Amino acid sequence: MNPHAFDDAQIAGVYRAIRERRDIRHFTSEPLAPDQLERFIAAAHAGPSVGLMQPWRFIRIASADLRAQIHSHVNEERLLTAEALGKRAEEFMQLKVEGILTCAEVLVVGLMDKRDNFVFGRRTMPEMDLASASCALQNFWLAARAEGIGVGWVSMFDPQRLRELCAMPEGSQPIAVLCVGQVPEFYSAPMLELERWDTRRPLAEVMFEDSWGNSAR
């Protein structure tokens, strides 16, 4: 037995959180428990980052007026997205794409400014700052799911407009509006699967061996 492995119950819990994590759009009005949000952000901050640059920054939206402005802007982008989808526009408009006004907490997550100062691991792939922040957000998501709290990642916004709304410095980059809160239930499958927007592809389509397209054994 591997001496570094968790016990069976702990392993099962990790895999359950991964399997049952959902991008949530439906929330109740109940607040989070004290210190819960701080725990989720601490889990995110424990995430891996290239060159230990820790590029993530979290802005908790406490102002009801600012929350309303963010919601209004996201809705503007929702309409523009529908236009860009062409034939699927009407189908898209039937989907619920955010829960900004109903969730307990809204966070704007961004990449810090002055990222060009960090070269370690980014000389040929500068986008690794975004990859690092995405790992942090996955930590946040899994910690929240383990505690029975829903999280929705909203990406329908113009980064420049959101930067202005949140007084973010030049060079920073908003990457997410997170909706966080209690839920009536967790979806039995990803919402977009339930709504038949798309389906999850089998592993055989995404896993290769030695060369692209060569099916793994």
Side-chain angles (χ1 to χ4, degrees):
M1 181 177 177
N2 186 337
H4 305 296
F6 296 173
D7 65 39
D8 289 348
Q10 292 170 328
I11 292 170
V14 171
Y15 278 99
R16 181 184 174 190
I18 293 169
R19 187 174 61 251
E20 297 184 11
R21 180 210 57 79
R22 296 289 181 263
D23 195 5
I24 296 295
R25 304 306 190 208
H26 301 83
F27 297 90
T28 71
S29 59
E30 299 173 72
L32 298 184
D35 302 326
Q36 216 165 17
L37 182 62
E38 184 176 353
R39 285 198 297 275
F40 302 158
I41 294 177
H45 194 47
S49 65
V50 171
L52 201 60
M53 70 180 295
Q54 303 159 77
W56 45 75
R57 298 293 185 269
F58 294 83
I59 304 173
R60 178 175 177 256
I61 306 303
S63 163
D65 180 62
L66 180 54
R67 186 191 285 223
Q69 290 182 68
I70 292 171
H71 175 263
S72 177
H73 173 61
V74 167
N75 193 56
E76 290 170 357
E77 180 56 33
R78 174 172 172 259
L79 297 175
L80 293 172
T81 300
E83 289 180 19
L85 282 168
K87 293 180 179 179
R88 300 198 76 179
E90 185 174 348
E91 183 184 357
F92 169 76
M93 288 301 292
Q94 300 304 310
L95 298 174
K96 184 172 176 58
V97 297
E98 49 80 21
I100 294 171
L101 296 182
T102 55
C103 63
E105 298 282 350
V106 172
L107 298 173
V108 169
V109 186
L111 299 175
M112 67 183 187
D113 58 338
K114 301 178 181 177
R115 298 188 305 285
D116 289 344
N117 294 338
F118 293 84
V119 179
F120 187 166
R122 299 179 64 242
R123 189 185 68 80
T124 59
M125 293 193 293
E127 65 273 14
M128 291 307 293
D129 54 5
L130 177 58
S132 297
S134 296
C135 289
L137 287 174
Q138 180 78 331
N139 274 12
F140 185 110
W141 229 328
L142 295 176
R145 179 61 189 92
E147 294 197 30
I149 299 300
V151 178
W153 182 337
V154 181
S155 58
M156 276 184 257
F157 55 80
D158 171 41
Q160 179 59 34
R161 177 60 180 147
L162 192 57
R163 187 185 299 117
E164 292 169 354
L165 285 171
C166 296
M168 297 172 66
E170 191 66 31
S172 63
Q173 180 184 340
I175 61 171
V177 174
L178 291 187
C179 302
V180 186
Q182 306 277 359
V183 301
E185 62 180 354
F186 281 89
Y187 313 137
S188 59
M191 193 190 75
L192 292 182
E193 277 194 69
L194 296 175
E195 297 289 347
R196 300 186 179 181
W197 182 262
D198 207 338
T199 58
R200 188 178 299 279
R201 288 153 183 74
L203 282 178
E205 288 188 15
V206 301
M207 184 176 177
F208 308 135
E209 189 167 312
D210 289 332
S211 62
W212 191 286
N214 184 39
S215 297
R217 290 173 291 179

